Amino acid sequence: MTYERIIQIEFNHCDPAGIVFYPRYFEMVNSVIENFFADVVGRSFAAMHFGASNGVPTVAMEAVFQRPSRLGEKVRFRLRVEKVGGSSVKMWIEGHGDDGLRLKVGMTLAWIDGMKAAPWPAEMRAALERYRETQDA
């Protein structure tokens, strides 16, 4: 099953013309990732950042913007895991509106422990791999 989250476009997301200001998309994408880690991987950002010196910072990002999103619309974000590495994960997040693809963002995140890249904890790696194998089911 593919992880999805619907985000309604609010006034704070938009420029004066009522169209999403592109950096706001990155905030939405981060929200999808943060919820994915809590809901699917089993480790919330709060637990990573406040309970330990861990985290999953973004080390690479690419984005393609297909169509604008406007105030009041709902965008369905879908997250796909492409590859789980030793200490990183490559994922794609697509945002779809009623008229099709709005944006596609590729991201590489790295697991850090004590501010240095480290191997994934076994339970997190297993959850990411399990999701990758079943995301299209």
Side-chain angles (χ1 to χ4, degrees):
M1 172 181 277
T2 302
Y3 186 78
E4 294 187 351
R5 188 151 186 265
I6 296 172
I7 298 177
Q8 182 164 333
I9 305 304
E10 299 172 345
F11 183 76
N12 63 302
H13 298 135
C14 297
D15 63 16
I19 297 171
V20 171
F21 181 48
Y22 73 92
R24 299 292 182 235
Y25 274 131
F26 296 134
E27 293 172 351
M28 292 178 217
V29 165
N30 189 73
S31 176
V32 171
I33 291 170
E34 186 169 341
N35 283 276
F36 170 78
F37 270 84
D39 297 344
V40 176
V41 181
R43 184 116 25 136
S44 71
F45 274 33
M48 285 188 260
H49 292 96
F50 295 125
S53 58
N54 304 125
V56 286
T58 302
V59 296
M61 176 186 282
E62 60 183 287
V64 177
F65 303 101
Q66 297 287 105
R67 293 180 176 84
S69 295
R70 300 180 190 288
L71 181 61
E73 294 180 330
K74 292 183 180 178
V75 178
R76 179 181 305 273
F77 289 86
R78 296 181 179 132
L79 185 148
R80 292 186 40 76
V81 170
E82 180 180 302
K83 180 183 178 189
V84 181
S87 63
S88 66
V89 61
K90 171 70 176 188
M91 52 181 58
W92 290 92
I93 297 97
E94 291 185 354
H96 294 263
D98 290 340
D99 59 350
L101 183 65
R102 301 284 177 87
L103 75 149
K104 184 174 184 176
V105 179
M107 299 187 67
T108 301
L109 308 177
W111 173 253
I112 61 167
D113 187 10
M115 299 305 289
K116 292 198 263 183
W120 288 107
E123 73 280 358
M124 291 180 76
R125 181 178 187 77
L128 288 164
E129 288 288 5
R130 193 168 38 254
Y131 177 78
R132 188 183 61 77
E133 292 167 3
T134 61
Q135 64 194 349
D136 295 323

